[in-house]
Amino acid sequence: MAETSEITEAGERGSRPRKSSWRYIGPGIVVAATGVGAGDLVATLIAGSKFGYTLMWAAVIGCLVKISLAEAVGRWHLATGRTLFEGWRTLGSWTTVYFAVYVVIWGFVYGATAMSSSALPIVALFPDGPGLKTWAVITGLVGLVFVWFNQYAVFEKAMTVLIGVMFIVVVYVAIRVSPDVGASFAGLLPVLPDGSLVYTLGLIGGVGGTITMAAYGYWVNAKGWSGASWMKVMRIDNRVAYITTGIFVVAMLIVGAELLHSSQIALTKGDQGLIDLGGILEDRFGAGTAKLFLVGFFAASFSSLIGVWHGVSLMFADFVERIRAARGGAGAEKADSETVRRQERSVPFRAYLLWLTFPPMTLLWLDEPFGLVIGYGVLGAFFMPFLALTLLWLLNSSRTPREWRNGWLSNGMLGAAGLLFVVLCVKQVVDLPW
């Protein structure tokens, strides 16, 4: 990597890039690939099938919201040399309690969801092979072994390949359905058709918005970026990643608008909707296009699986180490690549990997218990408002060096994101099967 040394204000030797370069891009691709899963694909397709191109503007705004959130996470890590969890702890013990409960319940339910989602396209591709539960267990074990034995550099390369497959497949399918270019541009004008509010909020807030956005700062450190001198590179990395995601979402909206809206075809909600779409593509364009789409579906699902297996395990390892350090009266370690490499081999990291993999397998054979569904839904709904609003707090306070605190644009975007996620949170909680 082309970099030089510099002496930071604290008198420590750090590193900085000689110039901003495309070859530095990586953590943004990882967080974008992890955040866009099968559920996001279905939600975007359904929005396109119901309202055509009308909500194209919402997809663009959603992309800008995610750029703002990820930039804020990366800026905190680089400007302060502290991890996001370390920042949360300065806001009070309530953040520790919330995260501890959230990461345990969320991981248990998400593990089963991710494994099932990754197995669905494999079952569709190989209908004569093992069943869904067997493939789900296999994908979970493959994810476990891959993350257990590989560090960030290899992980990033695998994620780049997976998001490349996702991108090529979805854009290819969007081109095959012959998009209406005029209607696409007309859809950039903000309009709210009757009954579209929920879908609009979902498009803006849902695609690529998960706990893995908080993991972005950890991946920035894992890449070897440490100190404010990497700020420009981080921002380029973040924008490229989410612009790529924006194109991806627009392509899915086009597929929904052209293939489903014009024919008044309804998809099944949830991941099964993508299997339905595979059947529609086969009827319209042949088995080759349908199978290619299923490969893209698998890439989207499996990239989310290994992304969570790595990123949230890193967050959990940092969570445990900061708690231990605070109880022992020791100073917190600097957030850098050496710390991340050690955490990737730590007991808490691997313990959480096992938690994501083995206990959730029981849910593949059992209906999710009612109380667990409620707890998972409530805690999950609160995470994105928690992230947006705590970032506003941290980046407008003395915890952040003055030159890297929020400006009016960052405050406006994070404030709008916080408000949006609060509304989505309320809706998700109300919609739970109480």
Side-chain angles (χ1 to χ4, degrees):
M1 181 181 295
E3 59 183 40
T4 58
S5 295
E6 65 172 3
I7 303 299
T8 64
E9 290 180 5
E12 300 171 344
R13 186 165 295 279
S15 65
R16 61 180 176 83
R18 287 178 181 164
K19 59 181 180 179
S20 298
S21 171
W22 291 98
R23 66 192 181 86
Y24 290 123
I25 291 171
I29 293 293
V30 171
V31 75
T34 305
V36 179
D40 298 300
L41 303 187
V42 175
T44 308
L45 281 168
I46 291 176
S49 69
K50 287 183 175 291
F51 304 104
Y53 292 96
T54 310
L55 300 182
M56 188 74 75
W57 62 273
V60 174
I61 291 178
C63 179
L64 296 176
V65 167
K66 302 309 182 305
I67 287 174
S68 300
L69 278 168
E71 187 275 341
V73 172
R75 177 154 46 95
W76 167 264
H77 275 248
L78 293 180
T80 66
R82 305 163 79 184
T83 66
L84 187 55
F85 179 71
E86 195 179 348
W88 285 339
R89 278 182 57 79
T90 68
L91 302 180
S93 59
W94 65 274
T95 60
T96 301
V97 173
Y98 169 75
F99 185 78
V101 177
Y102 171 79
V103 80
V104 171
I105 296 178
W106 181 88
F108 183 46
V109 181
Y110 179 82
T113 303
M115 287 185 273
S116 296
S117 179
S118 297
L120 267 174
I122 301 177
V123 173
L125 282 166
F126 305 104
D128 298 327
L132 179 68
K133 292 180 177 65
T134 302
W135 278 119
V137 169
I138 290 171
T139 58
L141 292 175
V142 170
L144 170 69
V145 170
F146 175 80
V147 175
W148 190 289
F149 290 104
N150 288 294
Q151 291 188 302
Y152 176 78
V154 177
F155 164 71
E156 182 191 286
K157 288 180 174 65
M159 293 293 279
T160 302
V161 170
L162 288 169
I163 198 172
V165 171
M166 289 164 54
F167 185 84
I168 291 169
V169 168
V170 171
V171 171
Y172 166 75
V173 172
I175 293 171
R176 283 296 305 270
V177 301
S178 303
D180 184 332
V181 177
S184 299
F185 280 105
L188 296 175
L189 181 67
V191 174
L192 274 178
D194 291 341
S196 67
L197 180 59
V198 170
Y199 294 95
T200 303
L201 293 175
L203 264 182
I204 296 173
V207 180
T210 68
I211 187 176
T212 50
M213 293 206 71
Y216 179 58
Y218 293 85
W219 286 324
V220 162
N221 292 145
K223 184 73 170 176
W225 302 350
S226 180
S229 58
W230 286 92
M231 202 72 74
K232 184 176 181 180
V233 173
M234 180 275 292
R235 285 170 168 164
I236 293 172
D237 169 73
N238 174 42
R239 289 166 190 169
V240 168
Y242 277 100
I243 288 171
T244 301
T245 303
I247 295 170
F248 184 79
V249 172
V250 166
M252 290 303 292
L253 201 67
I254 288 170
V255 173
E258 291 293 342
L259 201 60
L260 307 176
H261 180 67
S262 58
S263 305
Q264 295 298 302
I265 298 172
L267 288 183
T268 305
K269 288 187 177 180
D271 296 351
Q272 187 63 39
L274 293 182
I275 301 298
D276 295 347
L277 180 61
I280 295 166
L281 287 169
E282 183 169 0
D283 292 340
R284 184 73 65 88
F285 302 112
T289 298
K291 289 184 184 300
L292 186 64
F293 176 76
L294 290 172
V295 170
F297 175 7
F298 172 76
S301 298
F302 193 66
S303 64
S304 294
L305 187 152
I306 63 172
V308 166
W309 264 229
H310 187 273
V312 184
S313 296
L314 265 184
M315 292 184 70
F316 182 77
D318 183 59
F319 165 76
V320 172
E321 290 192 4
R322 303 293 169 182
I323 295 294
R324 286 176 175 171
R327 288 178 177 174
E333 284 189 277
K334 185 179 179 182
D336 58 20
S337 58
E338 289 300 322
T339 300
V340 171
R341 277 194 286 272
R342 184 183 51 73
Q343 287 175 338
E344 287 176 315
R345 294 290 179 261
S346 69
V347 172
F349 180 90
R350 288 178 164 173
Y352 194 75
L353 263 180
L354 296 173
W355 174 253
L356 281 168
T357 307
F358 291 105
M361 288 179 183
T362 60
L363 296 181
L364 298 173
W365 278 268
L366 300 171
D367 290 332
E368 294 173 6
F370 179 78
L372 189 61
V373 172
I374 297 298
Y376 172 77
V378 171
L379 288 166
F382 274 94
F383 185 79
M384 290 304 284
F386 170 80
L387 176 62
L389 297 176
T390 53
L391 283 171
L392 265 175
W393 192 345
L394 290 170
L395 293 169
N396 282 291
S397 71
S398 59
R399 298 171 181 85
T400 304
R402 183 173 298 278
E403 66 174 306
W404 298 114
R405 292 177 196 168
N406 278 358
W408 65 269
L409 181 59
S410 294
N411 278 326
M413 292 299 292
L414 287 178
L419 179 62
L420 166 70
F421 291 128
V422 166
V423 173
L424 285 172
C425 171
V426 172
K427 181 189 179 300
Q428 285 179 262
V429 172
V430 168
D431 288 347
L432 286 170
W434 297 96

